[in-house]
Amino acid sequence: MLGPNTSSFVMYDEEFKRINLVIEKLLRDANAKVIFLVDKNGQLISSVGETEHLDTTSLASLTAGNIAATGGLAKLIGEKEFSILFHEGEKDNLHISIVAERVILVVIFDQRSSLGLVRLRVKKGSEELTQIFYDLAKKSEVQEKSGNALSPFAEITDDDIDNLFS
Amino acid sequence: MSFINYASREINCKIVYYGPGLCGKTTNLQHVYQKTAPDAKGKMISLATETERTLFFDFLPLALGEIRGFKTRFHLYTVPGQVFYDASRKLILKGVDGVVFVADSQEERLDANIESLDNLRINLEEQGYDLDKIPFVIQYNKCDLPNVTPLEELRALLNPQNVPEFQACATTGEGVFETLKAVAKLILVELRQGTGG
């Protein structure tokens, strides 16, 4: 979807809202505690649910590491990737899946839900998310071609940069 | 690859510290962690063995402040330096925006530095990056030790492209922030030009 030569992964307001609608619905439908979306490089895209006591930045980075390591394992045995991972805990469980080949969807749930329900709802939600990320990629491409893709950093000065470190 | 989020007005960049085993990559991050104000940093995560050798990576999120209304965040990663962890190293380079090569200035590690730098170039190429084109700085660490290779020689062997370079002693913190600032600046300049990694 987006190769290493694409300049940046850009998220716009409109798609961000659409994404949040989908994962909020998924949170309710799957009876989940927390849902977050992470890009494969470990950047948190969005999170919903009981996130107050969660270090979502660390979770994002570790999830991406986990997916990367599992992806490496998959390649070693001749698989393209393992598209679903499930970690079972005493109380909370993690359901991790790949959406649109480049985004990781993480669902945290406890006994109020079940693996079957989560899998079912994730499947539905993933389809909607895939469409949004597809639209997003297209939008970025169009912006880039039309030359409107100027990053908000296009006009920063050396002083702006120096000020960050003062 | 930087992540620009217009919705939350954030920009996230990934910096990877690379280098041979025991050169001080983790120590660099630990120093940054210790010297950064609590509100500007997240938790530092180290996936290490029982003997504190990096097994997969260290991770430290930093918030540097705002530029033009955008929160600027840098995610610092280290790779495991030991030769046999190459598969893991490749994974961590995914989506990188800037690289710090931490060289071990001690004479007996000269070959290890050269080998690790070659390995960096090859692993980046596998991901579609060219080391000569991405933000890249070199740190000559452990410069306080008695048995170091002269700076000119290190420079000739490790830095023929003349990228920004710093002498450092990561255990005391000398040169650590200078190195980080230099690579962060290169990344921001790259973003300004719109060709960011």
Side-chain angles (χ1 to χ4, degrees):
Chain A
M1 201 162 126
L2 293 170
N5 297 322
T6 325
S7 51
S8 293
F9 175 33
V10 181
M11 174 64 69
Y12 299 98
D13 250 332
E14 185 196 342
E15 280 74 17
F16 189 70
K17 283 182 188 139
R18 283 173 67 195
I19 286 168
N20 278 333
L21 282 179
V22 175
I23 56 177
E24 272 160 16
K25 181 168 186 300
L26 180 57
L27 184 79
R28 288 191 304 272
D29 290 349
N31 261 345
K33 278 175 85 172
V34 181
I35 294 185
F36 56 95
L37 268 177
V38 184
D39 121 281
K40 271 195 179 175
N41 302 326
Q43 320 276 17
L44 180 70
I45 296 171
S46 187
S47 60
V48 293
E50 304 163 28
T51 54
E52 315 83 64
H53 304 296
L54 271 185
D55 178 355
T56 45
T57 311
S58 298
L59 267 168
S61 139
L62 286 173
T63 308
N66 192 349
I67 281 288
T70 327
L73 284 174
K75 286 207 177 69
L76 285 178
I77 64 160
E79 280 290 326
K80 191 168 151 253
E81 65 184 9
F82 295 124
S83 52
I84 293 177
L85 304 179
F86 175 58
H87 299 301
E88 188 176 296
E90 275 182 21
K91 276 189 263 160
D92 291 340
N93 314 295
L94 274 177
H95 182 282
I96 305 174
S97 55
I98 299 172
V99 174
E101 286 176 34
R102 67 149 299 134
V103 181
I104 306 165
L105 174 67
V106 185
V107 180
I108 305 178
F109 66 96
D110 57 18
Q111 79 285 351
R112 287 173 288 175
S113 184
S114 68
L115 178 58
L117 179 67
V118 170
R119 283 191 72 149
L120 181 75
R121 302 300 191 199
V122 160
K123 205 172 167 210
K124 173 94 180 13
S126 291
E127 285 166 13
E128 293 171 36
L129 288 171
T130 301
Q131 183 59 45
I132 301 174
F133 281 103
Y134 177 76
D135 292 347
L136 190 62
K138 247 172 127 182
K139 194 172 188 173
S140 298
E141 210 175 287
V142 170
Q143 296 265 5
E144 210 155 307
K145 270 191 194 139
S146 65
N148 291 336
L150 281 182
S151 79
F153 284 59
E155 289 179 357
I156 55 170
T157 61
D158 287 343
D159 283 346
D160 284 333
I161 296 176
D162 284 330
N163 285 342
L164 269 190
F165 298 100
S166 56
Chain B
M1 180 168 57
S2 55
F3 172 34
I4 304 172
N5 191 335
Y6 282 93
S8 56
R9 299 197 80 72
E10 276 178 18
I11 182 143
N12 291 288
C13 303
K14 178 172 178 178
I15 299 173
V16 174
Y17 283 70
Y18 212 92
L22 294 175
C23 70
K25 300 174 287 296
T26 302
T27 313
N28 260 273
L29 255 65
Q30 282 166 342
H31 181 77
V32 172
Y33 181 76
Q34 282 158 11
K35 293 291 172 193
T36 306
D39 57 342
K41 67 185 174 192
K43 217 194 248 170
M44 177 164 166
I45 288 180
S46 287
L47 303 178
T49 65
E50 283 178 3
T51 52
E52 294 194 17
R53 301 297 304 269
T54 303
L55 183 59
F56 194 5
F57 59 78
D58 303 302
F59 168 69
L60 174 61
L62 283 185
L64 274 189
E66 289 196 3
I67 290 190
R68 302 281 161 117
F70 273 76
K71 278 176 238 148
T72 317
R73 296 181 198 276
F74 286 91
H75 289 176
L76 276 46
Y77 285 82
T78 67
V79 298
Q82 297 177 79
V83 175
F84 58 88
Y85 287 133
D86 199 38
S88 305
R89 270 195 297 278
K90 287 180 191 178
L91 299 176
I92 293 151
L93 284 175
K94 278 186 185 174
V96 67
D97 292 300
V99 177
V100 175
F101 184 80
V102 181
D104 187 331
S105 302
Q106 298 177 93
E107 267 170 16
E108 63 266 32
R109 297 299 284 164
L110 193 56
D111 286 347
N113 289 325
I114 295 169
E115 191 187 345
S116 176
L117 189 59
D118 285 344
N119 177 257
L120 168 63
R121 186 175 287 279
I122 292 165
N123 284 343
L124 279 171
E125 273 169 17
E126 270 185 38
Q127 310 278 348
Y129 298 105
D130 181 348
L131 182 59
D132 298 333
K133 290 186 180 145
I134 63 170
F136 177 50
V137 303
I138 295 181
Q139 179 187 81
Y140 306 113
N141 193 23
K142 308 194 187 183
C143 65
D144 57 315
L145 296 182
N147 53 336
V148 295
T149 308
L151 184 60
E152 295 71 39
E153 199 178 328
L154 283 170
R155 198 177 270 159
L157 287 166
L158 302 175
N159 192 8
Q161 303 285 348
N162 212 8
V163 300
E165 54 182 14
F166 302 88
Q167 283 192 297
C169 171
T171 46
T172 63
E174 184 192 334
V176 168
F177 274 97
E178 288 80 354
T179 309
L180 174 60
K181 279 178 195 176
V183 73
K185 264 190 185 181
L186 289 179
I187 292 172
L188 292 171
V189 168
E190 190 89 0
L191 279 171
R192 174 167 64 188
Q193 289 159 354
T195 54

